[in-house]
Amino acid sequence: MSEHRRKPPQPQGGGRAAARRGPSGQSSGRRAAPRGATGSPSDYGLGHGSESEEQSYTGRAEARRAAQRNSGGRRRAAEPAGGRRGGPTGPGRGRGTVPGRKRLIDYPRADKYGWQRWMPSWKLVAGLFVGFIGSLVAVAGIGYAMVGVPDVDQTATAQNNVYYWKDGTQMVATGGETNRQNISLSQIPQEMRWAVISQENKTFYDDSGIDPRGIARAVFNMARGGQTQGGSTITQQYVKNAMLNDQSQTISRKFKEIFVSIKVGAEVDKDTIMAGYLNSAYYGRNAYGIQAAARAYFDKDAIKLNPGECAFLAAMLKGATYYDPAGATSIDPVGATPEKNSKRALLQMQDTLDKMVEYGHLDAQTRAKYTKLPAVKNPRSNTDLKGQVGYLVDLANGYLVTHSKETGITQNLLQQGGYSIYTTFDRNKVQELEASVKKVQKEKIKPKERPKTDTHVQFGGASVEPDTGAIRAIYGGEDATKHFTDNADETGAQVGSTFKPFVLAAAMTWGVRDPDLGSSQAQDERTIVSPKSLFSGKNKLKIQDYNRTVWKNEKGEEWLQTNDGNASYGSPPDYDIDLREAMRESVNSAFVQLGMDVGLDKVKDAAVSAGLREGSLTGTTFPSFSIGISDPSAIRMAGAYATFAASGKQHDPYSVEKVTSEEGQIFTHKNVTNQAFTSKVADNVTDVLKTVVEKGTGTNAQLPGRDVAGKTGTTDGNKSAWFVGYTPQLSTAISMFRLDDNEKNKNRTFLKMFGTGGEEKIHGASFPAQIWHDYMAEALEGTPAKDFPEPEPIGEVVNAEPSPSPTPTVTETEETEPSPSPTPTQTETEPSPTPTGTCNGFFCNNNGGTSNGGSDGGTGDSSPTPTATETDTSSRGNQNGGLFGGSGG
């Protein structure tokens, strides 16, 4: 039985009656004490009892416990006697509670015990909910009263961005200027209004101006740190366009947008909202408003737009970066190519037209007339961006946007302007590179005299500083207002034999595998290769895997590697040649076999380590990968060779040093150095490439009194030619190709260059090397000559035998056309057009069977081997060749 229910011992001296009478034996006149009480004052919290009372218990401790059980000590002196559960006038355990007084908020609950004490009552919950809703209503009312209807003419403006040369002088102020002209609703075609309504907000004329579900989704996403993910009505977008001074993605800005949208929806008629939206929206090409957009894309007034053009411009509202058919490869080389943008724009345009028919805004017969994209005009209208300036601005903008995590500058913020952008570009070097290209064009390229060979000829170039990665100059094309693709940043032109140094670097870094070991063990036990190592220079060499089994494609076809002009190098019968001489004469067969012995995966790793983008590398599992079927950009090639110039230290090419705004300096480039190769490897590659310039295929690039290293390159079908070379202070890549990139030709076809410029065949040693020489001579004028480091001995001599003479020997009777027999000091071991016999740059008929014989830049015909045909397109190159994209060159 519990302590408080135990029957207390009877006091001595007469039982209950005596207790009532008290110690004097007389009745006290009081009501009897509750059962279990001792009759002492301590029962009521009044102090200690007398000695006679203590004797009713076994001792003082028992008396104290009894007092605590019944009264709770002095703290309960004010409570009436009522036992443990309290008297009639107040709660028994309400500590510190004045009897009879109620609290405004009964929490924790005084009349509950345990966990129930902390559970709020339904009255409290209901009261708090009502109070919360009331507060929201009050805040909403205050917010609604405080905001006003924005004046789009005053707020929808943008500032210029100012771009500076390396020396701090101003290059151009552009990029943020406002190209906008407001027009009335009557000047906007009804089809334009219905196109926007059908695609973006079909309930526009009936809704209140906001989309509650879209707003809730946007706020939730922003609270999680994500994007707002749309959900806006036309009214909300109009309000947002009119608040360009605050485009931050924050919850407070979103609420401000909501309040203004509600007020605009309530106080402004729908036609005015529609006109305001179409007059303030951004359509790309620096065009704000429908009138500016009509001029930018179609060179006509908005009122003259047809339904197809209206649906097209409605698509531009989704983001011209990914819908403008001209493309935006400087921002996203992979995702914003002209081909991809055109496809997206057409799909969006057709979807808009279909919805217009579905919602009754366009008849089906009219809709059927617009199934193709309308013809659009030149995307550049700012004459300040003519020449090379437009390419430079695009390159700087692309760098800032693609590195937005570091710069904090998004495409939207960049478009608003207000930035001072300090670039890495050297004005003198840019002008000198352009002048060197124009000199060759003027003297050699004559499209009127030779329309079949000299049309569509293009050049690209880039110059990178080895010690930092700073881009000092580029040549993007004839004029940024006429030729839109930046030839320095992405073209799709294969690099040919300029890729061979990466094969040599891989052989010196990882070494060749032992043919007598299994694949797993061979990966670990390798032999580092010396430049004195010997490989076969035989034409139509039967390519083997590292274990000396004949390499075959998935069709079971062997690969026979040809050299330029079907020439073999070295002495019969093995035609062995050391790697230095093979590089000097650009012998395909030797480097293709070297790549197989090292492993094409290691060749790929070497190229990526040097600075090429992995996405620009093509055919990485085929022997011809080693001789340049990939298409990195001129910028990336110059940067990769700069890694050799810097003794193996790699710096990513960059174009912006710092950015400031009215808030101060907001971005500064931080130089990051990666040790791509050891200095021993890089310096030995440089030493071998010096041989190419001193007495090989690159003699046209010699600079008297200066150390120069470089490599020539020409691809299959003579469709592109390169020279990439460097001194210790500057690395430069020059490309030349014929590319039919007329707007009407969506395939962008590479054309052969036989006969171009009056030459029977274009090699990297010809016009590209000449441009490189003329430019570098001017660019380095006044700069002290500097020697390359003396290379340390490296590796072992693989396949060691007496070194044969590198004299080429024609081993086949077929002759290529129209090129004559090769001369080692003037031509490269690049492919030539299909010979008259049974062997060409792609195939050799061996004992009745067809075998792959890849040429420099060419491959076999077996799928999925990249095939360079006469209709070869550059769509892949446009995606992979850019400098700053996920897979750009």
Side-chain angles (χ1 to χ4, degrees), residues 456-515:
H456 307 297
V457 176
Q458 297 186 30
F459 296 89
S463 202
V464 174
E465 191 173 78
D467 290 339
T468 63
I471 302 171
R472 294 307 182 197
I474 65 168
Y475 179 82
E478 178 184 358
D479 189 325
T481 63
K482 300 176 182 179
H483 175 77
F484 314 139
T485 301
D486 183 355
N487 289 344
D489 201 18
E490 35 74 30
T491 60
Q494 295 176 347
V495 295
S497 288
T498 58
F499 198 80
K500 289 173 181 173
F502 306 123
V503 184
L504 181 60
M508 291 180 175
T509 300
W510 290 282
V512 296
R513 294 169 287 183
D514 189 333

Side-chain angles (χ1 to χ4, degrees), residues 461-474 488 502 606-613 632-654 674 676-677 722-727 730-734 772 883 889:
S463 202
V464 174
E465 191 173 78
D467 290 339
T468 63
I471 302 171
R472 294 307 182 197
I474 65 168
F502 306 123
V608 172
S609 296
L612 300 187
R613 293 294 190 190
S633 70
I635 292 174
R636 283 289 166 180
M637 286 299 290
Y641 272 49
T643 301
F644 297 130
S647 294
K649 296 181 177 65
Q650 189 269 335
H651 304 87
D652 262 357
Y654 71 101
N674 302 307
F677 308 108
W722 290 72
F723 183 81
V724 187
Y726 54 94
T727 67
L730 201 61
S731 176
T732 300
I734 302 295
W772 189 96
L883 170 62

